[in-house]
Structure formats: C-alpha cells, structure tokens
Amino acid sequence: MITREEIANVLDQPVYDGDGNKIGDAKHVFFDDMTGRPEWVSVKTGMFGSTESFVPIRDAALVQDHLEVPYGKDQVKGAPSVDVDAGGHLSETEEHRLYDYYGINWDSVLSEAERTDDDRFATGPGTAGAAGAAGTAGAAGLAGTAGTAGAAGTAGGRTGREDAMRREGMRGDEAMTRSEEQMHIGVERHESGRARLRKYVVTEEVQQTVPVTHEEVRVVREPITDANRDEALAGPEISEAEHEVTLHAERPVVETETVPVERVRMTTEELTENETVRGQVRKERIEAETESFTEGETKNARDDKRRGGK
C-alpha cells in the first residue's frame, strides 16, 4: 500500500502492470476523505498522454523508480471515464462505478473506511455516513503533501470527520495551489501510401520511309553503222531467236534490335508544411469569497447555524 510519504515518489513516474507492461505516467493521486489514505491514481495514457485512466492504488506497490498495479494494461486503459469537479473531487457515483469496474466490493470499502475513520477521528457519538468523494493531490502532491479533502459523509452532530476535513484542508501554509494543463504536441511517423516502379511492354506503330530500287525493261533500238555492222551480220539472215534478261528489285527488310536507352529509379524527399492542431486544456481559477457577520454574531454561532443547530 502506498503511504502519504511516498506520494512524491509516485507522481509523474511510470506505471506498470503486473506483467511489466508500461501503462503510462502517474498524474494525480486522490485521497479518501474518511481514511485520509491514497485511494486512486490517475494515469496518463493514450497518444502523448492525452487521456487519464483511474486505477485503485490500495494494492499498488512502489518498485524502484515506478509504480506497479495489479491490473492489466488493457483493463486500466479501458476504465470508464469519470468527471472530476472544479474542486478536484470524484462524486460518490463516479467512485462507485470505478470500484465496480475493478471488481472491488463497495460495501467492503465503506466498512473499511468507517473503521479507519472511527479509529482516527471519532470524538463523539454518531455513525459515520457514506464515503465522501476522494480529494486530489494535484500539484501539492508533487511536494509530497496531501491535496484538498473531498466532501465527507454525514454524521450525527459535530463528528471527528469534520475535524479531519479541517485538518487536511488547512494543512501547510493555508495557500491554494492553482494548476493548469499544458498541451504538448508531438509528431508520429506513419505510412501514408506506397509508390512503386513497374515495367511493362507496349507495341507501337512506327513509320519510316526508305528508298528502294527495281529494274524495268527498256527496248533500245540502234541503227546499223559501220561500227556495229559486223556484229549485226554475224547471225543468220532470216531466223527466229529470243533473248532473256533477269530483272531485279529491292524490298524493305525490317529487323529489331534491343538497346538500353535510360535508367529509371525512385527517390523520396521530405517536404515540411505547417498544420494547425487544436485541443482543450483545463485551468483552475481561484476566487476569494467573503461573508459578513451580523453584529454580535460569532463565527462559532454561525457555523452552528449552518449545520442546522440552534
């Protein structure tokens, strides 16, 4: 069980489950009004610690530099979301819902709180009422001191619990610590797409003009002259004859040849652009309230009147 003296060693420290898995970091410690003992720790989970999950601290242990709780990581991250009021308190309904989620019997919690309350603070007759909402350690918890006590259960007359609330609430220099949330923004790298080079074959029609030659027959007639007379009279005078000539022509012949023309590869380059991120942060405000007493009225008489006394 974590004691008040160990609170300073818990806040902002890692929180692990029983299997050694890190759940998150401890943000706040909440005290039970009736027992004055640490009851809950809120753990920052999710991306950049954007959410807080409540986990019971009664069975937790401080192991070296981290807090170890007997609940699995997924169970803690799946705990129901609860609202903490402006005074840093959990309502009884919210606390009851958390106990049910973690399988802790509510009646046993009340019985234990009442026994502890009777042992510590009982100063007169009267039965202690239901457990009040737990107070938050807040920034004061960083220094190892208790935060504001939550709303206490009712009891007959002026009970020891009222004195306990007064002692807890006025502890220290009677100054309040105002806290506020700060938004921390980081970036994470993730896959946004894929690019690939793919080579495939296409067939294109190519047209090119080339010159080709061919032979044609042309009859040449030459007159008989002294120069060719002998050749002309070399054959018989009257006869039949034929002479054959082989004709030639050119035609296009197509051949293909594979030649490398270029090399293609892919590279990546990083481009930086500005993106606006919006979020919500909570801030505490502290205001002073004053009350005036009627003439002759003392503070004790006024306190009795507020409690329904005469």
Side-chain angles (χ1 to χ4, degrees):
M1 178 178 293
I2 304 300
T3 63
R4 283 179 173 272
E5 291 72 17
E6 295 175 313
I7 296 303
N9 299 325
V10 171
L11 297 177
D12 295 325
Q13 296 301 314
V15 179
Y16 287 79
D17 64 11
D19 297 327
N21 301 311
K22 182 178 179 181
I23 303 172
D25 295 324
K27 179 66 174 177
H28 296 102
V29 173
F30 290 74
F31 295 85
D32 189 287
D33 295 329
M34 300 178 68
T35 65
R37 294 184 307 199
E39 190 71 17
W40 300 94
V41 61
S42 65
V43 184
K44 293 187 294 184
T45 61
M47 187 181 301
F48 314 123
S50 57
T51 59
E52 287 188 48
S53 299
F54 281 74
V55 59
I57 201 174
R58 55 169 52 197
D59 295 323
L62 192 60
V63 181
Q64 294 180 352
D65 59 346
H66 68 270
L67 182 68
E68 187 173 297
V69 296
Y71 303 100
K73 177 179 180 179
D74 293 337
Q75 184 180 9
V76 174
K77 295 181 70 173
S81 300
V82 297
D83 292 327
V84 178
D85 63 24
H89 300 86
L90 288 174
S91 68
E92 183 176 333
T93 301
E94 299 281 31
E95 193 175 21
H96 196 169
R97 188 154 62 101
L98 284 172
Y99 278 126
D100 286 343
Y101 176 78
Y102 285 103
I104 300 175
N105 185 271
W106 176 253
D107 293 333
S108 66
V109 174
L110 294 181
S111 299
E112 179 183 352
E114 289 174 355
R115 286 196 304 270
T116 305
D117 188 52
D118 290 340
D119 292 340
R120 292 178 60 200
F121 305 124
T123 60
T127 304
T136 177
L142 297 174
T145 61
T148 305
T154 59
R158 181 173 177 178
T159 65
R161 184 172 299 116
E162 294 179 76
D163 295 333
M165 289 174 57
R166 185 171 296 107
R167 285 196 292 270
E168 295 294 334
M170 301 296 289
R171 188 170 183 174
D173 59 0
E174 300 186 6
M176 291 184 181
T177 299
R178 189 182 69 83
S179 303
E180 65 182 35
E181 296 178 338
Q182 295 181 347
M183 186 166 63
H184 300 282
I185 301 175
V187 296
E188 66 172 0
R189 194 177 184 89
H190 66 94
E191 290 188 3
S192 60
R194 294 189 179 184
R196 63 176 62 88
L197 286 177
R198 183 169 63 90
K199 184 170 71 173
Y200 58 95
V201 178
V202 297
T203 301
E204 296 181 351
E205 292 288 338
V206 179
Q207 180 176 311
Q208 186 175 345
T209 301
V210 296
V212 294
T213 61
H214 68 279
E215 296 177 342
E216 293 182 354
V217 175
R218 184 167 60 89
V219 177
V220 180
R221 300 178 185 274
E222 297 178 350
I224 302 300
T225 62
D226 291 339
N228 61 14
R229 183 177 297 275
D230 293 337
E231 292 182 4
L233 299 176
E237 294 181 358
I238 300 295
S239 63
E240 293 183 356
E242 70 179 29
H243 183 71
E244 183 178 286
V245 176
T246 300
L247 300 177
H248 296 85
E250 294 179 340
R251 64 172 177 265
V253 177
V254 178
E255 294 181 352
T256 59
E257 177 186 7
T258 302
V259 295
V261 292
E262 66 177 352
R263 288 183 58 81
V264 181
R265 60 189 177 91
M266 288 195 304
T267 62
T268 61
E269 61 178 356
E270 289 189 353
L271 302 178
T272 301
E273 58 184 15
N274 295 325
E275 184 173 337
T276 302
V277 178
R278 292 182 174 85
Q280 294 182 342
V281 295
R282 296 179 300 171
K283 297 182 179 181
E284 295 177 343
R285 294 287 186 263
I286 298 177
E287 297 179 355
E289 294 182 356
T290 60
E291 296 184 19
S292 299
F293 300 115
T294 60
E295 184 176 355
E297 184 180 19
T298 64
K299 184 177 183 301
N300 290 335
R302 177 177 170 275
D303 290 340
D304 292 338
K305 183 183 297 183
R306 290 178 56 186
R307 288 193 296 269
K310 296 183 180 179

